[in-house]
Amino acid sequence: MNKRTVLYTLAWTIFLFSGISPVHSQTIKKVISSAIGHFTSLDLEGTWKYEGVAVEFQTDNLLKKAGGKVATGNIEKKIDQQLSHIGFQSGVTEFIFHEDGTFRNVTNGRTVNGTYTYDNSDKEITLKYVNHIPVKAKVTGTDTKISLLFEASSFLSVATFLGSNSGVSVIEGISSILKSYDGMMIGMELKKE
């Protein structure tokens, strides 16, 4: 019997014989999911606070070209500074994912709603803001801290949409940084509240 089967059997045994309510059974499911290393759409539900920019290169070769981890930190810092001009603030900007597949994003006091789907096999989330094209992001992390990593053009599209009242110079600044590193994934680190 594999580890997953044992854990699920244990959870259901506890559920059936201890009078646990359905709410507690979801908690047990989350604990088991985390224990076996699988991130699910269930783990997304809740409020996530923006912590900063996340950068990932699609190959180690690109990372070496960019100058390694120090360069990654510098890129994150530059983009984070630009994003702060359009309202992305650590601990203030938030994403709230609901069980029904809807989400709310609050950036710079502006609330924007949308829908999301999470593909567990590809570890990708598709965000569809109201009046905006859908964008896909790779999801990495745990049930308490995640990174949403977009291809550069998708990230720029989201930043432009959310910062629509912020002026062209900020978007041009982000765009010039992104164009310097082909093959870079860029996004947001979020921490669950």
Side-chain angles (χ1 to χ4, degrees), residues 17-77:
F17 294 106
S18 65
I20 294 176
S21 70
V23 171
H24 288 98
S25 70
Q26 279 196 343
T27 302
I28 290 170
K29 186 176 178 182
K30 284 183 181 181
V31 169
I32 291 170
S33 277
S34 297
I36 59 177
H38 294 288
F39 187 85
T40 67
S41 59
L42 242 180
D43 297 326
L44 278 173
E45 294 170 21
T47 301
W48 296 82
K49 296 282 188 178
Y50 173 77
E51 286 200 320
V53 172
V55 169
E56 181 181 289
F57 289 93
Q58 294 178 342
T59 68
D60 287 337
N61 202 17
L62 286 169
L63 181 61
K64 288 175 189 171
K65 257 185 171 175
K69 297 207 181 272
V70 173
T72 301
N74 289 335
I75 294 166
E76 288 173 348
K77 186 176 178 180

Side-chain angles (χ1 to χ4, degrees), residues 30 39 64 68 72 82 86 108 112 114 148 151 153 155 164 183:
K30 284 183 181 181
F39 187 85
K64 288 175 189 171
T72 301
Q82 294 294 320
I86 60 175
N108 202 23
V112 183
L148 300 181
E151 289 183 0
S153 61
F155 181 76
S164 60

Side-chain angles (χ1 to χ4, degrees), residues 80 85 97 99 121 123-124 131 149 177 184 190 193:
D80 206 30
H85 295 298
F97 294 101
E99 183 179 0
S121 61
K123 308 292 185 226
E124 286 185 339
N131 299 323
L149 295 162
I177 296 167
M184 179 174 68
L190 304 173
E193 239 187 12

Side-chain angles (χ1 to χ4, degrees), residues 163-179:
S164 60
N165 301 324
S166 301
V168 176
S169 63
V170 173
I171 301 305
E172 285 176 348
I174 295 170
S175 180
S176 69
I177 296 167
L178 296 179
K179 286 178 184 174

